[in-house]
Amino acid sequence: DIQMTQSPSSMSASLGDRVTITCQASQDIGNNLIWFQQKPGKSPRRMIYYATNLANGVPSRFSGSRSGSDYSLTIISLESEDMADYHCLQYKQYPLTFGSGTKLEIK
Amino acid sequence: EVQLVETGGGLVQPGKSLKLTCATSGFTFSTAWMHWVRQSPEKRLEWIARIKDKSNNYATDYVESVKGRFTISRDDSKSSVYLQMNSLKEEDTATYYCTLTTRYNWFAYWGQGTLVTVSS
């Protein structure tokens, strides 16, 4: 199975900060990676697909990038509504596997 | 509008069975691949099963931890997907979500989830 190592597990940042969350894949997944945002009591919301594509309705302050086997979700200027859990998912190979999640808090 | 509504969750004893239903609308169900994903109390997401469409012979796939215990199925006439869960264990306690993929749209739509608690 492909392991997705996500970091950090939690972080705290101030409004306006640049925030980056990373997932590292244990095998080649190409660009087959999705980033989800999840707020308390809600279902996951797709933010980025195919590693770098912004999903419909997602603010442009969010972006996805790839460097080799490392995948990053970046928020260029943190807003209060961005407080949430973030998860990555590889969909290159079954079983599909998620990262362990990142809890993003606002200072 | 795409809608997915999961039902069937609840409190069940270890070793018992439960069947979840995901009723859908707002998209062409018959050609979509349907998935179940669960989220543990620790908030970790885990993909657990997928069923393809008729043109792909309704092929199924499972995560190792549920193989032989869980069965995913679908009824295209009812636009619904099911998860039969047998021999439940305490570690199966989670919120279960259904979601879908199509050729051009992967995991954009999710249900609200249904909570399954396995406890004596």
Side-chain angles (χ1 to χ4, degrees):
Chain A
D1 297 0
I2 297 175
Q3 307 303 315
M4 301 300 297
T5 302
Q6 186 170 344
S7 61
S9 57
S10 65
M11 65 181 300
S12 181
S14 299
L15 297 179
D17 280 355
R18 179 187 181 97
V19 169
T20 297
I21 298 167
T22 299
C23 275
Q24 183 177 67
S26 65
Q27 300 175 36
D28 176 47
I29 62 169
N31 281 347
N32 296 292
L33 184 114
I34 291 173
W35 287 101
F36 294 98
Q37 177 193 68
Q38 189 178 24
K39 296 186 177 181
K42 299 294 187 181
S43 305
R45 174 193 179 190
R46 190 181 70 166
M47 305 297 280
I48 302 287
Y49 65 96
Y50 208 57
T52 62
N53 292 274
L54 201 65
N56 288 344
V58 175
S60 59
R61 64 181 180 274
F62 288 87
S63 66
S65 63
R66 173 191 175 188
S67 176
S69 62
D70 293 331
Y71 300 80
S72 297
L73 173 71
T74 298
I75 309 171
I76 59 172
S77 181
L78 192 65
E79 298 194 6
S80 57
E81 67 186 35
D82 302 334
M83 183 180 70
D85 294 335
Y86 291 86
H87 308 269
C88 65
L89 166 70
Q90 69 79 19
Y91 57 99
K92 172 68 173 178
Q93 178 185 112
Y94 287 96
L96 308 186
T97 45
F98 286 88
S100 53
T102 296
K103 186 177 186 64
L104 175 58
E105 296 178 318
I106 310 296
K107 281 182 184 174
Chain B
E1 179 191 5
V2 174
Q3 289 195 323
L4 300 93
V5 178
E6 303 95 336
T7 56
L11 174 63
V12 61
Q13 293 178 327
K16 299 296 187 180
S17 299
L18 206 59
K19 185 174 184 177
L20 306 183
T21 297
C22 174
T24 77
S25 61
F27 64 100
T28 306
F29 180 85
S30 61
T31 58
W33 295 7
M34 300 301 298
H35 304 250
W36 287 96
V37 172
R38 66 185 179 185
Q39 186 165 39
S40 68
E42 296 76 29
K43 302 304 181 186
R44 180 101 184 222
L45 289 167
E46 181 182 36
W47 173 89
I48 56 173
R50 179 225 68 225
I51 185 166
K52 293 185 178 181
D53 62 337
K54 184 177 180 179
S55 70
N56 286 284
N57 298 315
Y58 300 122
T60 59
D61 235 326
Y62 300 91
V63 71
E64 192 64 36
S65 60
V66 308
K67 276 182 185 175
R69 300 189 299 124
F70 290 12
T71 302
I72 187 172
S73 61
R74 63 191 291 161
D75 185 338
D76 290 350
S77 69
K78 295 182 178 180
S79 297
S80 294
V81 61
Y82 309 96
L83 187 69
Q84 176 67 46
M85 305 185 293
N86 298 332
S87 303
L88 281 161
K89 305 175 181 180
E90 290 190 350
E91 52 263 42
D92 294 319
T93 293
T95 296
Y96 285 72
Y97 295 98
C98 67
T99 180
L100 68 108
T101 55
T102 63
R103 184 174 181 181
Y104 298 111
N105 207 333
W106 283 64
F107 300 107
Y109 303 103
W110 294 66
Q112 84 289 349
T114 187
L115 178 62
V116 173
T117 303
V118 185
S119 174
S120 53

